[in-house]
């Protein structure tokens, strides 16, 4: 969300997203393509993204990949 989004809006969207992730048809659809749902809080998501950035930055650095 854009910086400055009011906390009540963030909280509401988070509740709604978690509710959708808990629906059986959502779980079935996502797992059918080999993915896994991770509900949680905005802080949980921020930690996940930070960890993924660190993880994949190291993979890219070791591979020597360059952007043309």
């Amino acid at each position: 969300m854009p910086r400055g989004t009011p906390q009540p809006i963030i909280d509401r969207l988070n509740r709604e997203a978690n509710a959708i992730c808990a629906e059986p048809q959502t779980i079935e659809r996502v797992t059918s393509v080999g993915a896994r749902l991770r509900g949680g809080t905005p802080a949980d998501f921020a930690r996940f993204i930070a960890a993924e950035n660190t993880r994949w930055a190291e993979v890219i650095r070791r591979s020597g990949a360059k952007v043309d």
Side-chain angles (χ1 to χ4, degrees):
M1 284 177 234
R3 185 180 311 255
T5 300
Q7 192 62 45
I9 293 174
I10 294 170
D11 294 342
R12 169 81 189 271
L13 289 172
N14 185 65
R15 276 192 311 275
E16 297 296 334
N18 281 323
I20 291 167
C21 289
E23 293 178 355
Q25 65 268 28
T26 303
I27 295 168
E28 181 181 340
R29 175 71 184 231
V30 170
T31 57
S32 74
V33 296
R36 174 169 71 101
L37 290 170
R38 297 181 70 155
T41 66
D44 294 333
F45 184 65
R47 283 189 295 274
F48 172 74
I49 293 300
E52 287 293 288
N53 284 342
T54 300
R55 175 183 172 195
W56 292 109
E58 180 65 14
V59 169
I60 293 165
R61 186 187 64 74
R62 285 183 180 195
S63 76
K66 303 286 183 213
V67 177
D68 289 335

